[in-house]
PDB file of all heavy atoms in Angstrom:
ATOM      1  N   ASP A 500      44.388  -5.801 -26.625  1.00  0.00           N
ATOM      2  CA  ASP A 500      44.888  -4.819 -27.580  1.00  0.00           C
ATOM      3  C   ASP A 500      45.991  -3.964 -26.942  1.00  0.00           C
ATOM      4  O   ASP A 500      47.042  -3.731 -27.550  1.00  0.00           O
ATOM      5  CB  ASP A 500      43.737  -3.932 -28.054  1.00  0.00           C
ATOM      6  CG  ASP A 500      44.112  -3.081 -29.258  1.00  0.00           C
ATOM      7  OD1 ASP A 500      44.395  -3.658 -30.320  1.00  0.00           O
ATOM      8  OD2 ASP A 500      44.112  -1.851 -29.133  1.00  0.00           O
ATOM      9  N   ASP A 501      45.742  -3.508 -25.712  1.00  0.00           N
ATOM     10  CA  ASP A 501      46.734  -2.689 -25.007  1.00  0.00           C
ATOM     11  C   ASP A 501      47.993  -3.489 -24.679  1.00  0.00           C
ATOM     12  O   ASP A 501      49.107  -2.964 -24.749  1.00  0.00           O
ATOM     13  CB  ASP A 501      46.134  -2.130 -23.713  1.00  0.00           C
ATOM     14  CG  ASP A 501      45.038  -1.108 -23.978  1.00  0.00           C
ATOM     15  OD1 ASP A 501      44.931  -0.626 -25.120  1.00  0.00           O
ATOM     16  OD2 ASP A 501      44.276  -0.799 -23.037  1.00  0.00           O
ATOM     17  N   LEU A 502      47.811  -4.768 -24.337  1.00  0.00           N
ATOM     18  CA  LEU A 502      48.962  -5.610 -24.013  1.00  0.00           C
ATOM     19  C   LEU A 502      49.815  -5.873 -25.249  1.00  0.00           C
ATOM     20  O   LEU A 502      51.056  -5.789 -25.194  1.00  0.00           O
ATOM     21  CB  LEU A 502      48.492  -6.936 -23.416  1.00  0.00           C
ATOM     22  CG  LEU A 502      49.585  -7.956 -23.086  1.00  0.00           C
ATOM     23  CD1 LEU A 502      50.549  -7.401 -22.046  1.00  0.00           C
ATOM     24  CD2 LEU A 502      48.972  -9.276 -22.602  1.00  0.00           C
ATOM     25  N   LEU A 503      49.178  -6.180 -26.380  1.00  0.00           N
ATOM     26  CA  LEU A 503      49.935  -6.431 -27.608  1.00  0.00           C
ATOM     27  C   LEU A 503      50.712  -5.188 -28.037  1.00  0.00           C
ATOM     28  O   LEU A 503      51.797  -5.294 -28.608  1.00  0.00           O
ATOM     29  CB  LEU A 503      48.993  -6.880 -28.730  1.00  0.00           C
ATOM     30  CG  LEU A 503      48.370  -8.270 -28.562  1.00  0.00           C
ATOM     31  CD1 LEU A 503      47.383  -8.550 -29.682  1.00  0.00           C
ATOM     32  CD2 LEU A 503      49.453  -9.341 -28.532  1.00  0.00           C
ATOM     33  N   ASP A 504      50.160  -4.015 -27.748  1.00  0.00           N
ATOM     34  CA  ASP A 504      50.868  -2.777 -28.057  1.00  0.00           C
ATOM     35  C   ASP A 504      52.170  -2.677 -27.254  1.00  0.00           C
ATOM     36  O   ASP A 504      53.148  -2.100 -27.723  1.00  0.00           O
ATOM     37  CB  ASP A 504      49.979  -1.576 -27.731  1.00  0.00           C
ATOM     38  CG  ASP A 504      50.643  -0.258 -28.081  1.00  0.00           C
ATOM     39  OD1 ASP A 504      50.668   0.077 -29.275  1.00  0.00           O
ATOM     40  OD2 ASP A 504      51.155   0.419 -27.165  1.00  0.00           O
ATOM     41  N   ILE A 505      52.191  -3.281 -26.082  1.00  0.00           N
ATOM     42  CA  ILE A 505      53.377  -3.231 -25.229  1.00  0.00           C
ATOM     43  C   ILE A 505      54.400  -4.284 -25.609  1.00  0.00           C
ATOM     44  O   ILE A 505      55.596  -3.998 -25.740  1.00  0.00           O
ATOM     45  CB  ILE A 505      52.970  -3.423 -23.743  1.00  0.00           C
ATOM     46  CG1 ILE A 505      52.195  -2.205 -23.242  1.00  0.00           C
ATOM     47  CG2 ILE A 505      54.196  -3.665 -22.863  1.00  0.00           C
ATOM     48  CD1 ILE A 505      51.582  -2.397 -21.875  1.00  0.00           C
ATOM     49  N   ILE A 506      53.953  -5.507 -25.813  1.00  0.00           N
ATOM     50  CA  ILE A 506      54.916  -6.600 -25.931  1.00  0.00           C
ATOM     51  C   ILE A 506      55.461  -6.820 -27.343  1.00  0.00           C
ATOM     52  O   ILE A 506      56.562  -7.338 -27.492  1.00  0.00           O
ATOM     53  CB  ILE A 506      54.336  -7.922 -25.385  1.00  0.00           C
ATOM     54  CG1 ILE A 506      53.067  -8.326 -26.142  1.00  0.00           C
ATOM     55  CG2 ILE A 506      54.038  -7.794 -23.893  1.00  0.00           C
ATOM     56  CD1 ILE A 506      52.459  -9.639 -25.662  1.00  0.00           C
ATOM     57  N   ASP A 507      54.696  -6.417 -28.380  1.00  0.00           N
ATOM     58  CA  ASP A 507      55.272  -6.641 -29.714  1.00  0.00           C
ATOM     59  C   ASP A 507      54.666  -5.792 -30.816  1.00  0.00           C
ATOM     60  O   ASP A 507      55.062  -5.910 -31.977  1.00  0.00           O
ATOM     61  CB  ASP A 507      55.144  -8.123 -30.121  1.00  0.00           C
ATOM     62  CG  ASP A 507      53.703  -8.600 -30.230  1.00  0.00           C
ATOM     63  OD1 ASP A 507      52.793  -7.773 -30.054  1.00  0.00           O
ATOM     64  OD2 ASP A 507      53.503  -9.794 -30.486  1.00  0.00           O
ATOM     65  N   GLY A 508      53.723  -4.924 -30.482  1.00  0.00           N
ATOM     66  CA  GLY A 508      53.049  -4.194 -31.545  1.00  0.00           C
ATOM     67  C   GLY A 508      52.147  -5.147 -32.311  1.00  0.00           C
ATOM     68  O   GLY A 508      52.247  -6.364 -32.179  1.00  0.00           O
ATOM     69  N   ALA A 514      55.567  -1.482 -31.444  1.00  0.00           N
ATOM     70  CA  ALA A 514      55.437  -1.559 -29.996  1.00  0.00           C
ATOM     71  C   ALA A 514      55.439  -0.161 -29.381  1.00  0.00           C
ATOM     72  O   ALA A 514      56.170   0.723 -29.821  1.00  0.00           O
ATOM     73  CB  ALA A 514      56.569  -2.395 -29.411  1.00  0.00           C
ATOM     74  N   PHE A 515      54.592   0.021 -28.389  1.00  0.00           N
ATOM     75  CA  PHE A 515      54.440   1.270 -27.643  1.00  0.00           C
ATOM     76  C   PHE A 515      53.940   2.423 -28.512  1.00  0.00           C
ATOM     77  O   PHE A 515      54.246   3.579 -28.267  1.00  0.00           O
ATOM     78  CB  PHE A 515      55.751   1.647 -26.932  1.00  0.00           C
ATOM     79  CG  PHE A 515      56.069   0.732 -25.777  1.00  0.00           C
ATOM     80  CD1 PHE A 515      57.003  -0.283 -25.911  1.00  0.00           C
ATOM     81  CD2 PHE A 515      55.405   0.882 -24.563  1.00  0.00           C
ATOM     82  CE1 PHE A 515      57.272  -1.150 -24.853  1.00  0.00           C
ATOM     83  CE2 PHE A 515      55.673   0.029 -23.502  1.00  0.00           C
ATOM     84  CZ  PHE A 515      56.607  -0.994 -23.641  1.00  0.00           C
ATOM     85  N   THR A 524      46.145   4.593 -21.327  1.00  0.00           N
ATOM     86  CA  THR A 524      45.526   3.277 -21.293  1.00  0.00           C
ATOM     87  C   THR A 524      45.424   2.780 -19.862  1.00  0.00           C
ATOM     88  O   THR A 524      46.090   3.293 -18.956  1.00  0.00           O
ATOM     89  CB  THR A 524      46.343   2.263 -22.112  1.00  0.00           C
ATOM     90  OG1 THR A 524      47.612   2.052 -21.468  1.00  0.00           O
ATOM     91  CG2 THR A 524      46.584   2.775 -23.538  1.00  0.00           C
ATOM     92  N   LEU A 526      46.570   0.048 -18.794  1.00  0.00           N
ATOM     93  CA  LEU A 526      47.846  -0.539 -18.399  1.00  0.00           C
ATOM     94  C   LEU A 526      48.865   0.533 -18.029  1.00  0.00           C
ATOM     95  O   LEU A 526      49.687   0.326 -17.121  1.00  0.00           O
ATOM     96  CB  LEU A 526      48.388  -1.440 -19.520  1.00  0.00           C
ATOM     97  CG  LEU A 526      47.488  -2.615 -19.906  1.00  0.00           C
ATOM     98  CD1 LEU A 526      48.214  -3.554 -20.855  1.00  0.00           C
ATOM     99  CD2 LEU A 526      47.008  -3.372 -18.679  1.00  0.00           C
ATOM    100  N   LEU A 527      48.844   1.680 -18.690  1.00  0.00           N
ATOM    101  CA  LEU A 527      49.710   2.795 -18.298  1.00  0.00           C
ATOM    102  C   LEU A 527      49.344   3.257 -16.895  1.00  0.00           C
ATOM    103  O   LEU A 527      50.228   3.505 -16.058  1.00  0.00           O
ATOM    104  CB  LEU A 527      49.577   3.955 -19.284  1.00  0.00           C
ATOM    105  CG  LEU A 527      50.268   5.268 -18.871  1.00  0.00           C
ATOM    106  CD1 LEU A 527      51.778   5.077 -18.722  1.00  0.00           C
ATOM    107  CD2 LEU A 527      49.959   6.380 -19.880  1.00  0.00           C
ATOM    108  N   LYS A 555      62.117   1.722 -25.823  1.00  0.00           N
ATOM    109  CA  LYS A 555      61.052   0.713 -25.775  1.00  0.00           C
ATOM    110  C   LYS A 555      61.418  -0.414 -24.811  1.00  0.00           C
ATOM    111  O   LYS A 555      60.554  -0.910 -24.071  1.00  0.00           O
ATOM    112  CB  LYS A 555      60.799   0.151 -27.174  1.00  0.00           C
ATOM    113  CG  LYS A 555      60.167   1.140 -28.133  1.00  0.00           C
ATOM    114  CD  LYS A 555      60.011   0.525 -29.517  1.00  0.00           C
ATOM    115  CE  LYS A 555      59.492   1.541 -30.528  1.00  0.00           C
ATOM    116  NZ  LYS A 555      59.388   0.965 -31.892  1.00  0.00           N
ATOM    117  N   LEU A 558      60.937   0.826 -21.310  1.00  0.00           N
ATOM    118  CA  LEU A 558      59.508   0.863 -20.998  1.00  0.00           C
ATOM    119  C   LEU A 558      58.967  -0.540 -20.731  1.00  0.00           C
ATOM    120  O   LEU A 558      58.176  -0.748 -19.792  1.00  0.00           O
ATOM    121  CB  LEU A 558      58.734   1.502 -22.152  1.00  0.00           C
ATOM    122  CG  LEU A 558      58.912   3.010 -22.333  1.00  0.00           C
ATOM    123  CD1 LEU A 558      58.292   3.459 -23.660  1.00  0.00           C
ATOM    124  CD2 LEU A 558      58.284   3.778 -21.172  1.00  0.00           C
ATOM    125  N   LEU A 559      59.398  -1.503 -21.544  1.00  0.00           N
ATOM    126  CA  LEU A 559      58.963  -2.882 -21.334  1.00  0.00           C
ATOM    127  C   LEU A 559      59.403  -3.383 -19.962  1.00  0.00           C
ATOM    128  O   LEU A 559      58.650  -4.080 -19.259  1.00  0.00           O
ATOM    129  CB  LEU A 559      59.515  -3.786 -22.431  1.00  0.00           C
ATOM    130  CG  LEU A 559      59.149  -5.277 -22.336  1.00  0.00           C
ATOM    131  CD1 LEU A 559      57.632  -5.461 -22.344  1.00  0.00           C
ATOM    132  CD2 LEU A 559      59.786  -6.063 -23.476  1.00  0.00           C
ATOM    133  N   TYR A 562      56.993  -1.970 -17.405  1.00  0.00           N
ATOM    134  CA  TYR A 562      55.707  -2.659 -17.429  1.00  0.00           C
ATOM    135  C   TYR A 562      55.820  -4.079 -16.875  1.00  0.00           C
ATOM    136  O   TYR A 562      54.846  -4.622 -16.352  1.00  0.00           O
ATOM    137  CB  TYR A 562      55.155  -2.694 -18.850  1.00  0.00           C
ATOM    138  CG  TYR A 562      54.416  -1.440 -19.246  1.00  0.00           C
ATOM    139  CD1 TYR A 562      55.092  -0.340 -19.779  1.00  0.00           C
ATOM    140  CD2 TYR A 562      53.046  -1.336 -19.088  1.00  0.00           C
ATOM    141  CE1 TYR A 562      54.414   0.818 -20.141  1.00  0.00           C
ATOM    142  CE2 TYR A 562      52.350  -0.190 -19.448  1.00  0.00           C
ATOM    143  CZ  TYR A 562      53.055   0.889 -19.973  1.00  0.00           C
ATOM    144  OH  TYR A 562      52.371   2.032 -20.314  1.00  0.00           O
ATOM    145  N   THR A 567      52.597  -5.257 -14.503  1.00  0.00           N
ATOM    146  CA  THR A 567      51.494  -4.836 -15.358  1.00  0.00           C
ATOM    147  C   THR A 567      51.221  -5.867 -16.456  1.00  0.00           C
ATOM    148  O   THR A 567      50.061  -6.183 -16.755  1.00  0.00           O
ATOM    149  CB  THR A 567      51.805  -3.462 -15.993  1.00  0.00           C
ATOM    150  OG1 THR A 567      52.038  -2.517 -14.942  1.00  0.00           O
ATOM    151  CG2 THR A 567      50.663  -2.982 -16.854  1.00  0.00           C
ATOM    152  N   VAL A 568      52.272  -6.396 -17.071  1.00  0.00           N
ATOM    153  CA  VAL A 568      52.104  -7.395 -18.127  1.00  0.00           C
ATOM    154  C   VAL A 568      51.448  -8.654 -17.570  1.00  0.00           C
ATOM    155  O   VAL A 568      50.492  -9.192 -18.147  1.00  0.00           O
ATOM    156  CB  VAL A 568      53.463  -7.729 -18.780  1.00  0.00           C
ATOM    157  CG1 VAL A 568      53.327  -8.937 -19.706  1.00  0.00           C
ATOM    158  CG2 VAL A 568      53.990  -6.532 -19.558  1.00  0.00           C
TER     159      VAL A 568
END
Side-chain angles (χ1 to χ4, degrees):
D500 192 64
D501 292 345
L502 177 61
L503 291 176
D504 182 77
I505 291 171
I506 59 179
D507 62 3
F515 289 101
T524 67
L526 300 189
L527 171 61
K555 291 177 185 178
L558 288 170
L559 179 58
Y562 276 87
T567 302
V568 170

